[in-house]
Amino acid sequence: MRMPTLDDPSRNEDFSVVRALGEAPSFQPGERVRILTRHPIGHYRVPIYLRGKEGSIEAVIEPAAVDNEEEGFGRNAGSKRHYYRVAVPMTEIWPAYAGSARDGLRIEVFETWLERI
Amino acid sequence: MTDTQHIVRRLPNDIGGLPADPVQQVDHELEPWEKRCHALADVLDFHKIINTEEKRYGVEALGAEMVGKLSYYERWIVAFANILFRKGILTPTELALKMKEIEER
């Protein structure tokens, strides 16, 4: 690929957003994911009842953001990754769920808590 | 797992799925001080003194008894005091003197 020079008018179009390492979303809408099972202490934003549950990416939340588990300790800067709106069926969360099989929960989860399945 | 590990692993406000009484769905009329507390939260966040996430952590750090027994805005205001002490913006003595002054009005 030809690299635009600094004064090339097309440069802004091609390079208007330069992503830092890890800033490009790792997951895309429709992909199946599992919320990781881990046990942080002190502060976390993923409730215990959702750990290990499977769902699908409904949306990538833009722009990339600082991990709010870091923000909890007053750190507002640092590496940025995306939050994803994850759709999880209620029957996946509560095995005895008696409502419609189409019912689901939506939650925004930071990238470091998700794995592709 | 030891008997006490769950105390460390589960934050006091992470209660989804635990056995509980039915949810009471009633409207609450906010007290004037509660509205001021919410406004204070917005001001602290706007001026980048305490962000929302720090406030959440501050509430969790109050421990299970306070999280369970204090009201919603009581948790906020106590958390704000602790965080401001930690950041050196306010001292416990300053807050105590101000509270005494207001009580005597």
Side-chain angles (χ1 to χ4, degrees):
Chain A
M1 175 184 157
R2 185 183 63 86
M3 292 300 286
T5 57
L6 277 176
D7 55 356
D8 184 334
S10 71
R11 183 174 183 276
N12 283 341
E13 287 167 34
D14 291 340
F15 288 81
S16 57
V17 174
V18 180
R19 302 251 195 208
L21 190 64
E23 260 186 0
S26 286
F27 305 100
Q28 295 302 324
E31 283 190 296
R32 298 273 304 153
V33 290
R34 181 183 298 114
I35 297 171
L36 293 175
T37 299
R38 59 162 76 119
H39 302 279
I41 62 169
H43 182 59
Y44 56 74
R45 294 295 296 160
V46 176
I48 288 174
Y49 71 86
L50 282 174
R51 300 193 188 151
K53 305 302 182 190
E54 298 178 3
S56 58
I57 302 289
E58 195 169 80
V60 180
I61 311 298
E62 294 286 1
V66 173
D67 185 351
N68 56 9
E69 292 177 355
E70 284 290 305
E71 277 190 295
F73 299 94
R75 295 187 278 273
N76 296 318
S79 64
K80 291 183 172 180
R81 290 175 183 272
H82 285 83
Y83 282 86
Y84 301 87
R85 188 159 69 241
V86 180
V88 185
M90 290 300 267
T91 49
E92 164 79 3
I93 305 170
W94 316 113
Y97 185 72
S100 165
R102 296 176 58 192
D103 288 351
L105 175 146
R106 303 291 184 276
I107 184 170
E108 291 176 6
V109 180
F110 199 62
E111 191 168 285
T112 53
W113 272 94
L114 297 172
E115 67 180 349
R116 192 172 280 106
I117 53 176
Chain B
M1 191 187 286
T2 64
D3 288 348
T4 50
Q5 260 194 41
H6 69 280
I7 301 173
V8 177
R9 289 180 164 195
R10 183 187 286 276
L11 294 175
N13 50 2
D14 186 8
I15 57 176
L18 296 180
D21 295 329
V23 174
Q24 303 291 327
Q25 296 200 35
V26 289
D27 288 331
H28 299 281
E29 191 67 38
L30 289 180
E31 299 286 338
W33 81 267
E34 293 176 313
K35 293 180 181 177
R36 285 199 293 273
C37 179
H38 203 118
L40 174 67
D42 290 343
V43 170
L44 290 170
D45 187 48
F46 181 82
H47 289 289
K48 301 190 184 303
I49 297 168
I50 298 176
N51 69 41
T52 298
E53 208 59 37
E54 286 177 278
K55 183 206 67 198
R56 288 175 178 150
Y57 168 63
V59 167
E60 291 155 2
L62 297 176
E65 185 177 13
M66 283 214 256
V67 168
K69 291 181 179 172
L70 298 188
S71 72
Y72 187 76
Y73 286 105
E74 283 172 345
R75 294 195 289 268
W76 282 29
I77 203 73
V78 179
F80 284 148
N82 283 333
I83 297 167
L84 292 172
F85 297 155
R86 197 167 63 237
K87 290 184 179 224
I89 293 168
L90 196 63
T91 68
T93 303
E94 286 167 345
L95 181 61
L97 290 173
K98 190 70 181 176
M99 288 169 74
K100 187 165 184 290
E101 176 195 318
I102 290 169
E103 273 174 29
E104 288 169 356
R105 276 180 193 168

PDB file of all heavy atoms in Angstrom, chain A residues 54-90:
ATOM      1  N   GLU A  54     -22.857 -18.007  28.250  1.00  0.00           N
ATOM      2  CA  GLU A  54     -22.614 -17.778  26.832  1.00  0.00           C
ATOM      3  C   GLU A  54     -23.690 -16.877  26.240  1.00  0.00           C
ATOM      4  O   GLU A  54     -24.846 -16.935  26.658  1.00  0.00           O
ATOM      5  CB  GLU A  54     -22.575 -19.120  26.094  1.00  0.00           C
ATOM      6  CG  GLU A  54     -21.436 -20.013  26.580  1.00  0.00           C
ATOM      7  CD  GLU A  54     -21.411 -21.371  25.905  1.00  0.00           C
ATOM      8  OE1 GLU A  54     -22.249 -21.611  25.005  1.00  0.00           O
ATOM      9  OE2 GLU A  54     -20.546 -22.184  26.294  1.00  0.00           O
ATOM     10  N   GLY A  55     -23.265 -16.077  25.287  1.00  0.00           N
ATOM     11  CA  GLY A  55     -24.213 -15.184  24.623  1.00  0.00           C
ATOM     12  C   GLY A  55     -23.655 -14.759  23.293  1.00  0.00           C
ATOM     13  O   GLY A  55     -22.745 -15.395  22.750  1.00  0.00           O
ATOM     14  N   SER A  56     -24.197 -13.682  22.761  1.00  0.00           N
ATOM     15  CA  SER A  56     -23.693 -13.187  21.487  1.00  0.00           C
ATOM     16  C   SER A  56     -23.517 -11.671  21.543  1.00  0.00           C
ATOM     17  O   SER A  56     -24.192 -10.985  22.304  1.00  0.00           O
ATOM     18  CB  SER A  56     -24.654 -13.563  20.350  1.00  0.00           C
ATOM     19  OG  SER A  56     -25.936 -13.039  20.613  1.00  0.00           O
ATOM     20  N   ILE A  57     -22.571 -11.211  20.722  1.00  0.00           N
ATOM     21  CA  ILE A  57     -22.307  -9.768  20.648  1.00  0.00           C
ATOM     22  C   ILE A  57     -23.462  -9.103  19.904  1.00  0.00           C
ATOM     23  O   ILE A  57     -23.777  -9.488  18.779  1.00  0.00           O
ATOM     24  CB  ILE A  57     -20.983  -9.496  19.893  1.00  0.00           C
ATOM     25  CG1 ILE A  57     -19.804 -10.192  20.572  1.00  0.00           C
ATOM     26  CG2 ILE A  57     -20.754  -7.989  19.748  1.00  0.00           C
ATOM     27  CD1 ILE A  57     -19.379  -9.606  21.888  1.00  0.00           C
ATOM     28  N   GLU A  58     -24.095  -8.139  20.543  1.00  0.00           N
ATOM     29  CA  GLU A  58     -25.172  -7.426  19.877  1.00  0.00           C
ATOM     30  C   GLU A  58     -24.655  -6.128  19.264  1.00  0.00           C
ATOM     31  O   GLU A  58     -25.115  -5.706  18.216  1.00  0.00           O
ATOM     32  CB  GLU A  58     -26.294  -7.131  20.864  1.00  0.00           C
ATOM     33  CG  GLU A  58     -27.584  -6.717  20.205  1.00  0.00           C
ATOM     34  CD  GLU A  58     -28.735  -6.685  21.192  1.00  0.00           C
ATOM     35  OE1 GLU A  58     -28.857  -5.689  21.934  1.00  0.00           O
ATOM     36  OE2 GLU A  58     -29.496  -7.669  21.238  1.00  0.00           O
ATOM     37  N   ALA A  59     -23.705  -5.482  19.933  1.00  0.00           N
ATOM     38  CA  ALA A  59     -23.160  -4.229  19.405  1.00  0.00           C
ATOM     39  C   ALA A  59     -21.798  -3.961  20.000  1.00  0.00           C
ATOM     40  O   ALA A  59     -21.497  -4.377  21.126  1.00  0.00           O
ATOM     41  CB  ALA A  59     -24.104  -3.075  19.738  1.00  0.00           C
ATOM     42  N   VAL A  60     -20.958  -3.283  19.216  1.00  0.00           N
ATOM     43  CA  VAL A  60     -19.692  -2.773  19.720  1.00  0.00           C
ATOM     44  C   VAL A  60     -19.980  -1.361  20.212  1.00  0.00           C
ATOM     45  O   VAL A  60     -20.558  -0.563  19.490  1.00  0.00           O
ATOM     46  CB  VAL A  60     -18.623  -2.726  18.604  1.00  0.00           C
ATOM     47  CG1 VAL A  60     -17.305  -2.186  19.145  1.00  0.00           C
ATOM     48  CG2 VAL A  60     -18.447  -4.100  17.977  1.00  0.00           C
ATOM     49  N   ILE A  61     -19.612  -1.066  21.449  1.00  0.00           N
ATOM     50  CA  ILE A  61     -19.860   0.270  21.988  1.00  0.00           C
ATOM     51  C   ILE A  61     -18.676   1.167  21.631  1.00  0.00           C
ATOM     52  O   ILE A  61     -17.548   0.889  22.036  1.00  0.00           O
ATOM     53  CB  ILE A  61     -20.027   0.230  23.532  1.00  0.00           C
ATOM     54  CG1 ILE A  61     -21.023  -0.855  23.957  1.00  0.00           C
ATOM     55  CG2 ILE A  61     -20.425   1.613  24.053  1.00  0.00           C
ATOM     56  CD1 ILE A  61     -22.428  -0.683  23.453  1.00  0.00           C
ATOM     57  N   GLU A  62     -18.941   2.201  20.860  1.00  0.00           N
ATOM     58  CA  GLU A  62     -17.893   3.157  20.472  1.00  0.00           C
ATOM     59  C   GLU A  62     -18.011   4.425  21.312  1.00  0.00           C
ATOM     60  O   GLU A  62     -19.129   4.788  21.688  1.00  0.00           O
ATOM     61  CB  GLU A  62     -18.016   3.514  18.989  1.00  0.00           C
ATOM     62  CG  GLU A  62     -17.737   2.361  18.037  1.00  0.00           C
ATOM     63  CD  GLU A  62     -16.250   1.989  17.928  1.00  0.00           C
ATOM     64  OE1 GLU A  62     -15.417   2.624  18.619  1.00  0.00           O
ATOM     65  OE2 GLU A  62     -15.946   1.064  17.175  1.00  0.00           O
ATOM     66  N   PRO A  63     -16.912   5.107  21.594  1.00  0.00           N
ATOM     67  CA  PRO A  63     -15.539   4.737  21.237  1.00  0.00           C
ATOM     68  C   PRO A  63     -14.948   3.778  22.269  1.00  0.00           C
ATOM     69  O   PRO A  63     -15.601   3.468  23.269  1.00  0.00           O
ATOM     70  CB  PRO A  63     -14.817   6.084  21.289  1.00  0.00           C
ATOM     71  CG  PRO A  63     -15.540   6.826  22.381  1.00  0.00           C
ATOM     72  CD  PRO A  63     -16.979   6.397  22.292  1.00  0.00           C
ATOM     73  N   ALA A  64     -13.718   3.339  21.994  1.00  0.00           N
ATOM     74  CA  ALA A  64     -13.009   2.512  22.962  1.00  0.00           C
ATOM     75  C   ALA A  64     -12.868   3.294  24.269  1.00  0.00           C
ATOM     76  O   ALA A  64     -12.827   4.524  24.272  1.00  0.00           O
ATOM     77  CB  ALA A  64     -11.627   2.145  22.417  1.00  0.00           C
ATOM     78  N   ALA A  65     -12.816   2.569  25.375  1.00  0.00           N
ATOM     79  CA  ALA A  65     -12.807   3.254  26.673  1.00  0.00           C
ATOM     80  C   ALA A  65     -11.815   2.574  27.613  1.00  0.00           C
ATOM     81  O   ALA A  65     -11.416   1.425  27.410  1.00  0.00           O
ATOM     82  CB  ALA A  65     -14.206   3.216  27.287  1.00  0.00           C
ATOM     83  N   VAL A  66     -11.464   3.320  28.654  1.00  0.00           N
ATOM     84  CA  VAL A  66     -10.617   2.759  29.706  1.00  0.00           C
ATOM     85  C   VAL A  66     -11.455   1.743  30.492  1.00  0.00           C
ATOM     86  O   VAL A  66     -12.650   1.934  30.694  1.00  0.00           O
ATOM     87  CB  VAL A  66     -10.118   3.889  30.639  1.00  0.00           C
ATOM     88  CG1 VAL A  66      -9.365   3.327  31.842  1.00  0.00           C
ATOM     89  CG2 VAL A  66      -9.231   4.854  29.877  1.00  0.00           C
ATOM     90  N   ASP A  67     -10.841   0.671  30.888  1.00  0.00           N
ATOM     91  CA  ASP A  67     -11.503  -0.353  31.702  1.00  0.00           C
ATOM     92  C   ASP A  67     -12.074   0.297  32.969  1.00  0.00           C
ATOM     93  O   ASP A  67     -11.344   0.919  33.739  1.00  0.00           O
ATOM     94  CB  ASP A  67     -10.433  -1.396  32.080  1.00  0.00           C
ATOM     95  CG  ASP A  67     -11.028  -2.580  32.827  1.00  0.00           C
ATOM     96  OD1 ASP A  67     -12.213  -2.519  33.210  1.00  0.00           O
ATOM     97  OD2 ASP A  67     -10.281  -3.550  33.026  1.00  0.00           O
ATOM     98  N   ASN A  68     -13.382   0.157  33.199  1.00  0.00           N
ATOM     99  CA  ASN A  68     -13.935   0.846  34.370  1.00  0.00           C
ATOM    100  C   ASN A  68     -13.545   0.169  35.684  1.00  0.00           C
ATOM    101  O   ASN A  68     -13.710   0.753  36.755  1.00  0.00           O
ATOM    102  CB  ASN A  68     -15.442   1.077  34.262  1.00  0.00           C
ATOM    103  CG  ASN A  68     -16.223  -0.175  34.031  1.00  0.00           C
ATOM    104  OD1 ASN A  68     -15.696  -1.277  34.096  1.00  0.00           O
ATOM    105  ND2 ASN A  68     -17.496  -0.007  33.754  1.00  0.00           N
ATOM    106  N   GLU A  69     -12.990  -1.031  35.595  1.00  0.00           N
ATOM    107  CA  GLU A  69     -12.452  -1.619  36.820  1.00  0.00           C
ATOM    108  C   GLU A  69     -11.156  -0.907  37.229  1.00  0.00           C
ATOM    109  O   GLU A  69     -10.772  -0.921  38.388  1.00  0.00           O
ATOM    110  CB  GLU A  69     -12.243  -3.126  36.629  1.00  0.00           C
ATOM    111  CG  GLU A  69     -13.601  -3.827  36.481  1.00  0.00           C
ATOM    112  CD  GLU A  69     -13.533  -5.311  36.212  1.00  0.00           C
ATOM    113  OE1 GLU A  69     -12.426  -5.854  36.039  1.00  0.00           O
ATOM    114  OE2 GLU A  69     -14.608  -5.934  36.168  1.00  0.00           O
ATOM    115  N   GLU A  70     -10.488  -0.282  36.252  1.00  0.00           N
ATOM    116  CA  GLU A  70      -9.340   0.587  36.552  1.00  0.00           C
ATOM    117  C   GLU A  70      -9.822   1.952  37.045  1.00  0.00           C
ATOM    118  O   GLU A  70      -9.272   2.511  37.989  1.00  0.00           O
ATOM    119  CB  GLU A  70      -8.486   0.783  35.291  1.00  0.00           C
ATOM    120  CG  GLU A  70      -7.622  -0.407  34.931  1.00  0.00           C
ATOM    121  CD  GLU A  70      -6.501  -0.575  35.932  1.00  0.00           C
ATOM    122  OE1 GLU A  70      -5.741   0.380  36.140  1.00  0.00           O
ATOM    123  OE2 GLU A  70      -6.403  -1.658  36.524  1.00  0.00           O
ATOM    124  N   GLU A  71     -10.864   2.464  36.369  1.00  0.00           N
ATOM    125  CA  GLU A  71     -11.408   3.767  36.749  1.00  0.00           C
ATOM    126  C   GLU A  71     -11.847   3.780  38.210  1.00  0.00           C
ATOM    127  O   GLU A  71     -11.800   4.815  38.867  1.00  0.00           O
ATOM    128  CB  GLU A  71     -12.616   4.116  35.882  1.00  0.00           C
ATOM    129  CG  GLU A  71     -12.317   4.726  34.557  1.00  0.00           C
ATOM    130  CD  GLU A  71     -13.596   5.248  33.933  1.00  0.00           C
ATOM    131  OE1 GLU A  71     -14.474   4.430  33.614  1.00  0.00           O
ATOM    132  OE2 GLU A  71     -13.721   6.461  33.777  1.00  0.00           O
ATOM    133  N   GLY A  72     -12.274   2.644  38.695  1.00  0.00           N
ATOM    134  CA  GLY A  72     -12.725   2.551  40.077  1.00  0.00           C
ATOM    135  C   GLY A  72     -11.674   3.004  41.070  1.00  0.00           C
ATOM    136  O   GLY A  72     -11.991   3.445  42.175  1.00  0.00           O
ATOM    137  N   PHE A  73     -10.423   2.898  40.658  1.00  0.00           N
ATOM    138  CA  PHE A  73      -9.327   3.285  41.544  1.00  0.00           C
ATOM    139  C   PHE A  73      -8.770   4.657  41.157  1.00  0.00           C
ATOM    140  O   PHE A  73      -7.653   5.009  41.547  1.00  0.00           O
ATOM    141  CB  PHE A  73      -8.240   2.213  41.536  1.00  0.00           C
ATOM    142  CG  PHE A  73      -8.756   0.880  42.033  1.00  0.00           C
ATOM    143  CD1 PHE A  73      -9.223  -0.070  41.145  1.00  0.00           C
ATOM    144  CD2 PHE A  73      -8.815   0.617  43.395  1.00  0.00           C
ATOM    145  CE1 PHE A  73      -9.736  -1.281  41.613  1.00  0.00           C
ATOM    146  CE2 PHE A  73      -9.325  -0.587  43.867  1.00  0.00           C
ATOM    147  CZ  PHE A  73      -9.788  -1.528  42.972  1.00  0.00           C
ATOM    148  N   GLY A  74      -9.536   5.406  40.375  1.00  0.00           N
ATOM    149  CA  GLY A  74      -9.181   6.772  40.052  1.00  0.00           C
ATOM    150  C   GLY A  74      -8.285   6.911  38.837  1.00  0.00           C
ATOM    151  O   GLY A  74      -7.842   8.008  38.520  1.00  0.00           O
ATOM    152  N   ARG A  75      -8.008   5.809  38.142  1.00  0.00           N
ATOM    153  CA  ARG A  75      -7.156   5.910  36.953  1.00  0.00           C
ATOM    154  C   ARG A  75      -8.048   6.119  35.729  1.00  0.00           C
ATOM    155  O   ARG A  75      -8.779   5.219  35.328  1.00  0.00           O
ATOM    156  CB  ARG A  75      -6.327   4.633  36.805  1.00  0.00           C
ATOM    157  CG  ARG A  75      -5.335   4.456  37.945  1.00  0.00           C
ATOM    158  CD  ARG A  75      -4.407   3.279  37.713  1.00  0.00           C
ATOM    159  NE  ARG A  75      -4.989   2.006  38.086  1.00  0.00           N
ATOM    160  CZ  ARG A  75      -4.945   1.488  39.313  1.00  0.00           C
ATOM    161  NH1 ARG A  75      -4.329   2.125  40.282  1.00  0.00           N
ATOM    162  NH2 ARG A  75      -5.492   0.321  39.580  1.00  0.00           N
ATOM    163  N   ASN A  76      -7.965   7.317  35.169  1.00  0.00           N
ATOM    164  CA  ASN A  76      -8.832   7.655  34.037  1.00  0.00           C
ATOM    165  C   ASN A  76      -8.127   7.535  32.691  1.00  0.00           C
ATOM    166  O   ASN A  76      -8.730   7.749  31.660  1.00  0.00           O
ATOM    167  CB  ASN A  76      -9.362   9.080  34.188  1.00  0.00           C
ATOM    168  CG  ASN A  76     -10.238   9.208  35.405  1.00  0.00           C
ATOM    169  OD1 ASN A  76     -11.055   8.337  35.673  1.00  0.00           O
ATOM    170  ND2 ASN A  76     -10.069  10.270  36.154  1.00  0.00           N
ATOM    171  N   ALA A  77      -6.852   7.229  32.729  1.00  0.00           N
ATOM    172  CA  ALA A  77      -6.093   7.125  31.481  1.00  0.00           C
ATOM    173  C   ALA A  77      -5.485   5.735  31.391  1.00  0.00           C
ATOM    174  O   ALA A  77      -5.448   4.996  32.360  1.00  0.00           O
ATOM    175  CB  ALA A  77      -5.005   8.187  31.445  1.00  0.00           C
ATOM    176  N   GLY A  78      -4.997   5.421  30.191  1.00  0.00           N
ATOM    177  CA  GLY A  78      -4.374   4.118  30.001  1.00  0.00           C
ATOM    178  C   GLY A  78      -4.909   3.483  28.740  1.00  0.00           C
ATOM    179  O   GLY A  78      -5.577   4.138  27.943  1.00  0.00           O
ATOM    180  N   SER A  79      -4.603   2.221  28.550  1.00  0.00           N
ATOM    181  CA  SER A  79      -4.994   1.562  27.311  1.00  0.00           C
ATOM    182  C   SER A  79      -6.515   1.486  27.220  1.00  0.00           C
ATOM    183  O   SER A  79      -7.208   1.373  28.224  1.00  0.00           O
ATOM    184  CB  SER A  79      -4.388   0.162  27.241  1.00  0.00           C
ATOM    185  OG  SER A  79      -4.916  -0.633  28.270  1.00  0.00           O
ATOM    186  N   LYS A  80      -6.993   1.592  25.992  1.00  0.00           N
ATOM    187  CA  LYS A  80      -8.436   1.580  25.763  1.00  0.00           C
ATOM    188  C   LYS A  80      -8.831   0.351  24.959  1.00  0.00           C
ATOM    189  O   LYS A  80      -8.151  -0.023  24.002  1.00  0.00           O
ATOM    190  CB  LYS A  80      -8.852   2.847  25.018  1.00  0.00           C
ATOM    191  CG  LYS A  80      -8.724   4.096  25.860  1.00  0.00           C
ATOM    192  CD  LYS A  80      -9.224   5.301  25.103  1.00  0.00           C
ATOM    193  CE  LYS A  80      -9.268   6.524  26.015  1.00  0.00           C
ATOM    194  NZ  LYS A  80      -9.757   7.708  25.292  1.00  0.00           N
ATOM    195  N   ARG A  81      -9.916  -0.245  25.367  1.00  0.00           N
ATOM    196  CA  ARG A  81     -10.520  -1.332  24.610  1.00  0.00           C
ATOM    197  C   ARG A  81     -12.021  -1.084  24.561  1.00  0.00           C
ATOM    198  O   ARG A  81     -12.519  -0.162  25.179  1.00  0.00           O
ATOM    199  CB  ARG A  81     -10.229  -2.693  25.263  1.00  0.00           C
ATOM    200  CG  ARG A  81      -8.766  -3.112  25.142  1.00  0.00           C
ATOM    201  CD  ARG A  81      -8.508  -4.395  25.910  1.00  0.00           C
ATOM    202  NE  ARG A  81      -7.110  -4.770  25.869  1.00  0.00           N
ATOM    203  CZ  ARG A  81      -6.557  -5.522  24.925  1.00  0.00           C
ATOM    204  NH1 ARG A  81      -7.308  -5.998  23.945  1.00  0.00           N
ATOM    205  NH2 ARG A  81      -5.280  -5.803  24.956  1.00  0.00           N
ATOM    206  N   HIS A  82     -12.698  -1.951  23.864  1.00  0.00           N
ATOM    207  CA  HIS A  82     -14.134  -1.729  23.687  1.00  0.00           C
ATOM    208  C   HIS A  82     -14.980  -2.443  24.726  1.00  0.00           C
ATOM    209  O   HIS A  82     -14.597  -3.479  25.266  1.00  0.00           O
ATOM    210  CB  HIS A  82     -14.558  -2.196  22.295  1.00  0.00           C
ATOM    211  CG  HIS A  82     -14.144  -1.250  21.219  1.00  0.00           C
ATOM    212  ND1 HIS A  82     -12.889  -1.266  20.680  1.00  0.00           N
ATOM    213  CD2 HIS A  82     -14.809  -0.230  20.619  1.00  0.00           C
ATOM    214  CE1 HIS A  82     -12.803  -0.303  19.765  1.00  0.00           C
ATOM    215  NE2 HIS A  82     -13.948   0.341  19.718  1.00  0.00           N
ATOM    216  N   TYR A  83     -16.128  -1.840  24.943  1.00  0.00           N
ATOM    217  CA  TYR A  83     -17.221  -2.535  25.599  1.00  0.00           C
ATOM    218  C   TYR A  83     -18.097  -3.127  24.512  1.00  0.00           C
ATOM    219  O   TYR A  83     -18.179  -2.583  23.403  1.00  0.00           O
ATOM    220  CB  TYR A  83     -18.064  -1.571  26.438  1.00  0.00           C
ATOM    221  CG  TYR A  83     -17.415  -1.232  27.755  1.00  0.00           C
ATOM    222  CD1 TYR A  83     -16.491  -0.210  27.855  1.00  0.00           C
ATOM    223  CD2 TYR A  83     -17.713  -1.975  28.884  1.00  0.00           C
ATOM    224  CE1 TYR A  83     -15.876   0.089  29.055  1.00  0.00           C
ATOM    225  CE2 TYR A  83     -17.108  -1.692  30.093  1.00  0.00           C
ATOM    226  CZ  TYR A  83     -16.189  -0.666  30.171  1.00  0.00           C
ATOM    227  OH  TYR A  83     -15.584  -0.388  31.355  1.00  0.00           O
ATOM    228  N   TYR A  84     -18.738  -4.231  24.822  1.00  0.00           N
ATOM    229  CA  TYR A  84     -19.656  -4.878  23.884  1.00  0.00           C
ATOM    230  C   TYR A  84     -20.984  -5.090  24.574  1.00  0.00           C
ATOM    231  O   TYR A  84     -21.004  -5.499  25.744  1.00  0.00           O
ATOM    232  CB  TYR A  84     -19.088  -6.243  23.446  1.00  0.00           C
ATOM    233  CG  TYR A  84     -17.750  -6.120  22.787  1.00  0.00           C
ATOM    234  CD1 TYR A  84     -16.587  -6.112  23.558  1.00  0.00           C
ATOM    235  CD2 TYR A  84     -17.641  -5.960  21.412  1.00  0.00           C
ATOM    236  CE1 TYR A  84     -15.349  -5.961  22.975  1.00  0.00           C
ATOM    237  CE2 TYR A  84     -16.397  -5.812  20.815  1.00  0.00           C
ATOM    238  CZ  TYR A  84     -15.250  -5.812  21.592  1.00  0.00           C
ATOM    239  OH  TYR A  84     -14.027  -5.659  21.012  1.00  0.00           O
ATOM    240  N   ARG A  85     -22.058  -4.802  23.848  1.00  0.00           N
ATOM    241  CA  ARG A  85     -23.360  -5.161  24.403  1.00  0.00           C
ATOM    242  C   ARG A  85     -23.593  -6.629  24.098  1.00  0.00           C
ATOM    243  O   ARG A  85     -23.660  -7.032  22.934  1.00  0.00           O
ATOM    244  CB  ARG A  85     -24.493  -4.282  23.842  1.00  0.00           C
ATOM    245  CG  ARG A  85     -25.795  -4.557  24.587  1.00  0.00           C
ATOM    246  CD  ARG A  85     -26.776  -3.411  24.459  1.00  0.00           C
ATOM    247  NE  ARG A  85     -27.290  -3.300  23.111  1.00  0.00           N
ATOM    248  CZ  ARG A  85     -27.131  -2.236  22.324  1.00  0.00           C
ATOM    249  NH1 ARG A  85     -26.488  -1.173  22.754  1.00  0.00           N
ATOM    250  NH2 ARG A  85     -27.604  -2.228  21.114  1.00  0.00           N
ATOM    251  N   VAL A  86     -23.634  -7.425  25.142  1.00  0.00           N
ATOM    252  CA  VAL A  86     -23.746  -8.878  25.005  1.00  0.00           C
ATOM    253  C   VAL A  86     -25.179  -9.284  25.346  1.00  0.00           C
ATOM    254  O   VAL A  86     -25.743  -8.830  26.351  1.00  0.00           O
ATOM    255  CB  VAL A  86     -22.753  -9.590  25.953  1.00  0.00           C
ATOM    256  CG1 VAL A  86     -22.867 -11.111  25.800  1.00  0.00           C
ATOM    257  CG2 VAL A  86     -21.322  -9.134  25.664  1.00  0.00           C
ATOM    258  N   ALA A  87     -25.737 -10.115  24.475  1.00  0.00           N
ATOM    259  CA  ALA A  87     -27.087 -10.635  24.701  1.00  0.00           C
ATOM    260  C   ALA A  87     -26.975 -12.053  25.254  1.00  0.00           C
ATOM    261  O   ALA A  87     -26.333 -12.915  24.644  1.00  0.00           O
ATOM    262  CB  ALA A  87     -27.870 -10.642  23.392  1.00  0.00           C
ATOM    263  N   VAL A  88     -27.567 -12.276  26.406  1.00  0.00           N
ATOM    264  CA  VAL A  88     -27.516 -13.600  27.035  1.00  0.00           C
ATOM    265  C   VAL A  88     -28.952 -14.063  27.270  1.00  0.00           C
ATOM    266  O   VAL A  88     -29.742 -13.346  27.896  1.00  0.00           O
ATOM    267  CB  VAL A  88     -26.774 -13.547  28.392  1.00  0.00           C
ATOM    268  CG1 VAL A  88     -26.612 -14.948  28.975  1.00  0.00           C
ATOM    269  CG2 VAL A  88     -25.423 -12.861  28.249  1.00  0.00           C
ATOM    270  N   PRO A  89     -29.328 -15.265  26.765  1.00  0.00           N
ATOM    271  CA  PRO A  89     -30.696 -15.751  27.001  1.00  0.00           C
ATOM    272  C   PRO A  89     -30.945 -15.960  28.498  1.00  0.00           C
ATOM    273  O   PRO A  89     -30.060 -16.428  29.212  1.00  0.00           O
ATOM    274  CB  PRO A  89     -30.733 -17.097  26.255  1.00  0.00           C
ATOM    275  CG  PRO A  89     -29.557 -17.073  25.340  1.00  0.00           C
ATOM    276  CD  PRO A  89     -28.523 -16.198  25.977  1.00  0.00           C
ATOM    277  N   MET A  90     -32.146 -15.622  28.959  1.00  0.00           N
ATOM    278  CA  MET A  90     -32.461 -15.817  30.369  1.00  0.00           C
ATOM    279  C   MET A  90     -32.348 -17.301  30.755  1.00  0.00           C
ATOM    280  O   MET A  90     -31.967 -17.627  31.872  1.00  0.00           O
ATOM    281  CB  MET A  90     -33.881 -15.312  30.674  1.00  0.00           C
ATOM    282  CG  MET A  90     -33.991 -13.796  30.601  1.00  0.00           C
ATOM    283  SD  MET A  90     -32.905 -12.948  31.777  1.00  0.00           S
ATOM    284  CE  MET A  90     -34.002 -12.752  33.152  1.00  0.00           C
TER     285      MET A  90
END
